[in-house]
Amino acid sequence: MTAVRRQSGPFRAGDRVQLTGPKGRLNTITLEAGKVFHTHRGMVDHDALIGLADASVVTATNGDEYLALRPLLNDFVMSMPRGAAIIYPKDAAQILSLGDIFPGAKVVEAGVGSGALSLWLLRGIGPTGSLTSFERREEFADVARGNVVSFLGAEPQNWTVTVGDLVESLPTAVENGSVDRVVLDMLAPWECLGVVADALAPGGVLLCYIATVTQLSRVAEAVRGTGLFTDPDSSETMVRGWHVEGLAVRPDHRMVAHTGFLLTARRLAPDTVLPQLKRRLSKSDYTDEDVEAWTPGALGERSVTDKRLRKTARAAQTTAGHAIAAADTASTPPASTPPADESPAESL
């Protein structure tokens, strides 16, 4: 089965639908025949939505009207089951841009988390590219697989998920010098730079998503220290929405500010020595001891309980089951109808 999401057409059982209520509140549901969506004010029958065109309005039992839309990928990743913190769409968009993710690219990703970035990368590389993802925890991998299948209707044939450590697994998963892009979303990416450099083709892009300032400093100096990459570039992205209604035009009271840093560097050709930048000595000069004091080895990691992970994995797999069932139903040809002059066979 081809993993291609149906982007248009009437709603059908198994589809994810985003309902916007009279106060602007969003609710995302998976359509099931005979089911009912309950609110504290009224109810909406799933059957009333099945068969409606995208962007239709449905009325609840109390008279409230709900706008029904097929979620965009941006909407889906913000409402899907999470086993780990996701990469926000604002950062995913920058990763696709700064990482120059192109159709047909051979991309390596680590770790998978809840699968949000995997979905963006799969869209960027298209059906002719390949995505090889690595995740240390089986539970996170299960959540990611469920979310990807929920959105696409099937597991993509050009996506593989390996459960294990990147340093140990990458050399056997890809050939040296064959990877176009590597995206690292992990606690200590500096531990993987050696195998990543071996896997990347000359000119290939390394991109690291990093949560804290201390991690950013350590990764940047580690990249420089290998002598295998160009000088790294670092940035963060902040998005501020605006309220625009008549003459009331002002920034929103809330904004999506810091979520993480993005660091990019490109693989040098073998035996290439990067020219040194000419600069005067300054307070930014440091020793190895300074780096260790600023970025101690024990960074700490926010843990997720096994119980929560199992619950999230079940939710993702259930939604994936609905998506697969909907895709199977859509691919089954309708039963043939007997000609008008022939009567159907009698039931035994």
PDB file of all heavy atoms in Angstrom, residues 215-240:
ATOM      1  N   GLN A 215      24.361  23.057  25.804  1.00  0.00           N
ATOM      2  CA  GLN A 215      24.488  22.059  24.749  1.00  0.00           C
ATOM      3  C   GLN A 215      24.952  22.697  23.443  1.00  0.00           C
ATOM      4  O   GLN A 215      25.790  22.136  22.729  1.00  0.00           O
ATOM      5  CB  GLN A 215      23.146  21.363  24.525  1.00  0.00           C
ATOM      6  CG  GLN A 215      22.748  20.385  25.627  1.00  0.00           C
ATOM      7  CD  GLN A 215      21.336  19.871  25.414  1.00  0.00           C
ATOM      8  OE1 GLN A 215      20.374  20.640  25.451  1.00  0.00           O
ATOM      9  NE2 GLN A 215      21.209  18.587  25.192  1.00  0.00           N
ATOM     10  N   LEU A 216      24.408  23.856  23.138  1.00  0.00           N
ATOM     11  CA  LEU A 216      24.787  24.554  21.907  1.00  0.00           C
ATOM     12  C   LEU A 216      26.289  24.832  21.892  1.00  0.00           C
ATOM     13  O   LEU A 216      26.966  24.600  20.882  1.00  0.00           O
ATOM     14  CB  LEU A 216      23.998  25.858  21.786  1.00  0.00           C
ATOM     15  CG  LEU A 216      24.352  26.755  20.599  1.00  0.00           C
ATOM     16  CD1 LEU A 216      24.037  26.066  19.284  1.00  0.00           C
ATOM     17  CD2 LEU A 216      23.613  28.091  20.702  1.00  0.00           C
ATOM     18  N   SER A 217      26.809  25.335  23.001  1.00  0.00           N
ATOM     19  CA  SER A 217      28.239  25.639  23.080  1.00  0.00           C
ATOM     20  C   SER A 217      29.074  24.385  22.883  1.00  0.00           C
ATOM     21  O   SER A 217      30.054  24.382  22.123  1.00  0.00           O
ATOM     22  CB  SER A 217      28.546  26.286  24.426  1.00  0.00           C
ATOM     23  OG  SER A 217      29.937  26.472  24.580  1.00  0.00           O
ATOM     24  N   ARG A 218      28.676  23.321  23.540  1.00  0.00           N
ATOM     25  CA  ARG A 218      29.476  22.100  23.468  1.00  0.00           C
ATOM     26  C   ARG A 218      29.456  21.489  22.071  1.00  0.00           C
ATOM     27  O   ARG A 218      30.480  21.008  21.570  1.00  0.00           O
ATOM     28  CB  ARG A 218      28.965  21.088  24.489  1.00  0.00           C
ATOM     29  CG  ARG A 218      29.836  19.842  24.586  1.00  0.00           C
ATOM     30  CD  ARG A 218      29.649  19.152  25.908  1.00  0.00           C
ATOM     31  NE  ARG A 218      30.645  18.105  26.092  1.00  0.00           N
ATOM     32  CZ  ARG A 218      31.042  17.664  27.272  1.00  0.00           C
ATOM     33  NH1 ARG A 218      30.544  18.207  28.370  1.00  0.00           N
ATOM     34  NH2 ARG A 218      31.916  16.705  27.376  1.00  0.00           N
ATOM     35  N   VAL A 219      28.279  21.492  21.426  1.00  0.00           N
ATOM     36  CA  VAL A 219      28.191  20.937  20.080  1.00  0.00           C
ATOM     37  C   VAL A 219      29.029  21.760  19.104  1.00  0.00           C
ATOM     38  O   VAL A 219      29.768  21.212  18.271  1.00  0.00           O
ATOM     39  CB  VAL A 219      26.724  20.891  19.606  1.00  0.00           C
ATOM     40  CG1 VAL A 219      26.654  20.436  18.146  1.00  0.00           C
ATOM     41  CG2 VAL A 219      25.912  19.951  20.461  1.00  0.00           C
ATOM     42  N   ALA A 220      28.924  23.078  19.185  1.00  0.00           N
ATOM     43  CA  ALA A 220      29.655  23.940  18.259  1.00  0.00           C
ATOM     44  C   ALA A 220      31.159  23.698  18.365  1.00  0.00           C
ATOM     45  O   ALA A 220      31.859  23.575  17.344  1.00  0.00           O
ATOM     46  CB  ALA A 220      29.326  25.400  18.536  1.00  0.00           C
ATOM     47  N   GLU A 221      31.675  23.621  19.587  1.00  0.00           N
ATOM     48  CA  GLU A 221      33.115  23.425  19.753  1.00  0.00           C
ATOM     49  C   GLU A 221      33.531  22.025  19.344  1.00  0.00           C
ATOM     50  O   GLU A 221      34.635  21.821  18.815  1.00  0.00           O
ATOM     51  CB  GLU A 221      33.517  23.702  21.207  1.00  0.00           C
ATOM     52  CG  GLU A 221      33.257  25.128  21.660  1.00  0.00           C
ATOM     53  CD  GLU A 221      33.764  26.169  20.687  1.00  0.00           C
ATOM     54  OE1 GLU A 221      34.821  25.941  20.047  1.00  0.00           O
ATOM     55  OE2 GLU A 221      33.102  27.206  20.516  1.00  0.00           O
ATOM     56  N   ALA A 222      32.651  21.042  19.558  1.00  0.00           N
ATOM     57  CA  ALA A 222      32.966  19.677  19.131  1.00  0.00           C
ATOM     58  C   ALA A 222      33.022  19.586  17.611  1.00  0.00           C
ATOM     59  O   ALA A 222      33.879  18.902  17.047  1.00  0.00           O
ATOM     60  CB  ALA A 222      31.929  18.700  19.685  1.00  0.00           C
ATOM     61  N   VAL A 223      32.090  20.255  16.929  1.00  0.00           N
ATOM     62  CA  VAL A 223      32.099  20.267  15.459  1.00  0.00           C
ATOM     63  C   VAL A 223      33.390  20.902  14.951  1.00  0.00           C
ATOM     64  O   VAL A 223      34.042  20.383  14.035  1.00  0.00           O
ATOM     65  CB  VAL A 223      30.859  21.022  14.921  1.00  0.00           C
ATOM     66  CG1 VAL A 223      31.002  21.275  13.419  1.00  0.00           C
ATOM     67  CG2 VAL A 223      29.588  20.226  15.204  1.00  0.00           C
ATOM     68  N   ARG A 224      33.777  22.037  15.540  1.00  0.00           N
ATOM     69  CA  ARG A 224      35.034  22.683  15.140  1.00  0.00           C
ATOM     70  C   ARG A 224      36.228  21.769  15.420  1.00  0.00           C
ATOM     71  O   ARG A 224      37.178  21.698  14.622  1.00  0.00           O
ATOM     72  CB  ARG A 224      35.216  23.995  15.889  1.00  0.00           C
ATOM     73  CG  ARG A 224      34.246  25.091  15.497  1.00  0.00           C
ATOM     74  CD  ARG A 224      34.644  26.427  16.119  1.00  0.00           C
ATOM     75  NE  ARG A 224      33.718  27.485  15.751  1.00  0.00           N
ATOM     76  CZ  ARG A 224      32.747  27.929  16.544  1.00  0.00           C
ATOM     77  NH1 ARG A 224      32.596  27.418  17.755  1.00  0.00           N
ATOM     78  NH2 ARG A 224      31.939  28.884  16.126  1.00  0.00           N
ATOM     79  N   GLY A 225      36.175  21.083  16.538  1.00  0.00           N
ATOM     80  CA  GLY A 225      37.306  20.256  16.945  1.00  0.00           C
ATOM     81  C   GLY A 225      37.557  19.062  16.052  1.00  0.00           C
ATOM     82  O   GLY A 225      38.685  18.568  15.980  1.00  0.00           O
ATOM     83  N   THR A 226      36.537  18.581  15.335  1.00  0.00           N
ATOM     84  CA  THR A 226      36.755  17.434  14.457  1.00  0.00           C
ATOM     85  C   THR A 226      37.616  17.787  13.255  1.00  0.00           C
ATOM     86  O   THR A 226      38.332  16.922  12.728  1.00  0.00           O
ATOM     87  CB  THR A 226      35.414  16.887  13.943  1.00  0.00           C
ATOM     88  OG1 THR A 226      34.768  17.876  13.130  1.00  0.00           O
ATOM     89  CG2 THR A 226      34.511  16.475  15.091  1.00  0.00           C
ATOM     90  N   GLY A 227      37.542  19.039  12.796  1.00  0.00           N
ATOM     91  CA  GLY A 227      38.246  19.416  11.582  1.00  0.00           C
ATOM     92  C   GLY A 227      37.635  18.829  10.321  1.00  0.00           C
ATOM     93  O   GLY A 227      38.239  18.888   9.248  1.00  0.00           O
ATOM     94  N   LEU A 228      36.419  18.270  10.435  1.00  0.00           N
ATOM     95  CA  LEU A 228      35.771  17.592   9.315  1.00  0.00           C
ATOM     96  C   LEU A 228      34.606  18.378   8.724  1.00  0.00           C
ATOM     97  O   LEU A 228      34.007  17.962   7.729  1.00  0.00           O
ATOM     98  CB  LEU A 228      35.262  16.211   9.758  1.00  0.00           C
ATOM     99  CG  LEU A 228      36.316  15.264  10.331  1.00  0.00           C
ATOM    100  CD1 LEU A 228      35.641  14.000  10.879  1.00  0.00           C
ATOM    101  CD2 LEU A 228      37.334  14.906   9.264  1.00  0.00           C
ATOM    102  N   PHE A 229      34.268  19.510   9.363  1.00  0.00           N
ATOM    103  CA  PHE A 229      33.107  20.279   8.943  1.00  0.00           C
ATOM    104  C   PHE A 229      33.484  21.745   8.759  1.00  0.00           C
ATOM    105  O   PHE A 229      34.504  22.213   9.262  1.00  0.00           O
ATOM    106  CB  PHE A 229      31.982  20.187   9.986  1.00  0.00           C
ATOM    107  CG  PHE A 229      31.435  18.802  10.182  1.00  0.00           C
ATOM    108  CD1 PHE A 229      31.973  17.952  11.138  1.00  0.00           C
ATOM    109  CD2 PHE A 229      30.366  18.356   9.417  1.00  0.00           C
ATOM    110  CE1 PHE A 229      31.464  16.686  11.336  1.00  0.00           C
ATOM    111  CE2 PHE A 229      29.854  17.090   9.603  1.00  0.00           C
ATOM    112  CZ  PHE A 229      30.395  16.243  10.558  1.00  0.00           C
ATOM    113  N   THR A 230      32.610  22.471   8.058  1.00  0.00           N
ATOM    114  CA  THR A 230      32.748  23.918   7.999  1.00  0.00           C
ATOM    115  C   THR A 230      32.421  24.500   9.369  1.00  0.00           C
ATOM    116  O   THR A 230      31.894  23.815  10.251  1.00  0.00           O
ATOM    117  CB  THR A 230      31.794  24.504   6.958  1.00  0.00           C
ATOM    118  OG1 THR A 230      30.448  24.175   7.328  1.00  0.00           O
ATOM    119  CG2 THR A 230      32.088  23.952   5.573  1.00  0.00           C
ATOM    120  N   ASP A 231      32.726  25.770   9.548  1.00  0.00           N
ATOM    121  CA  ASP A 231      32.421  26.429  10.819  1.00  0.00           C
ATOM    122  C   ASP A 231      30.900  26.442  11.020  1.00  0.00           C
ATOM    123  O   ASP A 231      30.162  26.836  10.103  1.00  0.00           O
ATOM    124  CB  ASP A 231      32.958  27.852  10.815  1.00  0.00           C
ATOM    125  CG  ASP A 231      33.169  28.389  12.214  1.00  0.00           C
ATOM    126  OD1 ASP A 231      33.837  27.705  13.010  1.00  0.00           O
ATOM    127  OD2 ASP A 231      32.653  29.488  12.507  1.00  0.00           O
ATOM    128  N   PRO A 232      30.409  26.014  12.171  1.00  0.00           N
ATOM    129  CA  PRO A 232      28.962  25.885  12.348  1.00  0.00           C
ATOM    130  C   PRO A 232      28.245  27.231  12.461  1.00  0.00           C
ATOM    131  O   PRO A 232      28.797  28.205  12.970  1.00  0.00           O
ATOM    132  CB  PRO A 232      28.839  25.090  13.659  1.00  0.00           C
ATOM    133  CG  PRO A 232      30.098  25.375  14.398  1.00  0.00           C
ATOM    134  CD  PRO A 232      31.161  25.544  13.357  1.00  0.00           C
ATOM    135  N   ASP A 233      27.012  27.240  11.974  1.00  0.00           N
ATOM    136  CA  ASP A 233      26.120  28.390  12.128  1.00  0.00           C
ATOM    137  C   ASP A 233      25.017  28.019  13.106  1.00  0.00           C
ATOM    138  O   ASP A 233      24.486  26.902  13.077  1.00  0.00           O
ATOM    139  CB  ASP A 233      25.481  28.778  10.787  1.00  0.00           C
ATOM    140  CG  ASP A 233      26.504  29.358   9.819  1.00  0.00           C
ATOM    141  OD1 ASP A 233      27.354  30.136  10.263  1.00  0.00           O
ATOM    142  OD2 ASP A 233      26.451  29.007   8.617  1.00  0.00           O
ATOM    143  N   SER A 234      24.649  28.965  13.969  1.00  0.00           N
ATOM    144  CA  SER A 234      23.635  28.708  14.990  1.00  0.00           C
ATOM    145  C   SER A 234      22.550  29.773  14.937  1.00  0.00           C
ATOM    146  O   SER A 234      22.822  30.942  14.654  1.00  0.00           O
ATOM    147  CB  SER A 234      24.269  28.686  16.388  1.00  0.00           C
ATOM    148  OG  SER A 234      25.323  27.750  16.445  1.00  0.00           O
ATOM    149  N   SER A 235      21.321  29.356  15.257  1.00  0.00           N
ATOM    150  CA  SER A 235      20.204  30.307  15.242  1.00  0.00           C
ATOM    151  C   SER A 235      19.057  29.750  16.071  1.00  0.00           C
ATOM    152  O   SER A 235      19.048  28.570  16.450  1.00  0.00           O
ATOM    153  CB  SER A 235      19.722  30.565  13.811  1.00  0.00           C
ATOM    154  OG  SER A 235      19.172  29.380  13.249  1.00  0.00           O
ATOM    155  N   GLU A 236      18.095  30.609  16.362  1.00  0.00           N
ATOM    156  CA  GLU A 236      16.831  30.179  16.941  1.00  0.00           C
ATOM    157  C   GLU A 236      15.720  30.936  16.220  1.00  0.00           C
ATOM    158  O   GLU A 236      15.960  31.998  15.627  1.00  0.00           O
ATOM    159  CB  GLU A 236      16.760  30.432  18.452  1.00  0.00           C
ATOM    160  CG  GLU A 236      16.771  31.895  18.849  1.00  0.00           C
ATOM    161  CD  GLU A 236      16.537  32.095  20.338  1.00  0.00           C
ATOM    162  OE1 GLU A 236      15.886  31.244  20.963  1.00  0.00           O
ATOM    163  OE2 GLU A 236      17.001  33.119  20.859  1.00  0.00           O
ATOM    164  N   THR A 237      14.511  30.402  16.273  1.00  0.00           N
ATOM    165  CA  THR A 237      13.384  30.987  15.556  1.00  0.00           C
ATOM    166  C   THR A 237      12.272  31.296  16.536  1.00  0.00           C
ATOM    167  O   THR A 237      11.874  30.432  17.323  1.00  0.00           O
ATOM    168  CB  THR A 237      12.854  30.019  14.481  1.00  0.00           C
ATOM    169  OG1 THR A 237      13.925  29.673  13.600  1.00  0.00           O
ATOM    170  CG2 THR A 237      11.732  30.653  13.688  1.00  0.00           C
ATOM    171  N   MET A 238      11.781  32.518  16.498  1.00  0.00           N
ATOM    172  CA  MET A 238      10.643  32.922  17.329  1.00  0.00           C
ATOM    173  C   MET A 238       9.543  33.459  16.432  1.00  0.00           C
ATOM    174  O   MET A 238       9.812  34.198  15.478  1.00  0.00           O
ATOM    175  CB  MET A 238      11.071  33.979  18.356  1.00  0.00           C
ATOM    176  CG  MET A 238      12.017  33.429  19.411  1.00  0.00           C
ATOM    177  SD  MET A 238      12.562  34.650  20.622  1.00  0.00           S
ATOM    178  CE  MET A 238      13.808  35.510  19.661  1.00  0.00           C
ATOM    179  N   VAL A 239       8.314  33.074  16.733  1.00  0.00           N
ATOM    180  CA  VAL A 239       7.168  33.467  15.915  1.00  0.00           C
ATOM    181  C   VAL A 239       6.197  34.268  16.774  1.00  0.00           C
ATOM    182  O   VAL A 239       5.788  33.809  17.844  1.00  0.00           O
ATOM    183  CB  VAL A 239       6.450  32.230  15.328  1.00  0.00           C
ATOM    184  CG1 VAL A 239       5.193  32.645  14.578  1.00  0.00           C
ATOM    185  CG2 VAL A 239       7.390  31.467  14.399  1.00  0.00           C
ATOM    186  N   ARG A 240       5.842  35.454  16.307  1.00  0.00           N
ATOM    187  CA  ARG A 240       4.872  36.283  17.016  1.00  0.00           C
ATOM    188  C   ARG A 240       3.683  36.542  16.098  1.00  0.00           C
ATOM    189  O   ARG A 240       3.816  37.156  15.045  1.00  0.00           O
ATOM    190  CB  ARG A 240       5.496  37.611  17.441  1.00  0.00           C
ATOM    191  CG  ARG A 240       4.537  38.495  18.254  1.00  0.00           C
ATOM    192  CD  ARG A 240       5.215  39.736  18.794  1.00  0.00           C
ATOM    193  NE  ARG A 240       5.527  40.694  17.743  1.00  0.00           N
ATOM    194  CZ  ARG A 240       5.985  41.931  17.994  1.00  0.00           C
ATOM    195  NH1 ARG A 240       6.196  42.317  19.242  1.00  0.00           N
ATOM    196  NH2 ARG A 240       6.261  42.753  16.995  1.00  0.00           N
TER     197      ARG A 240
END
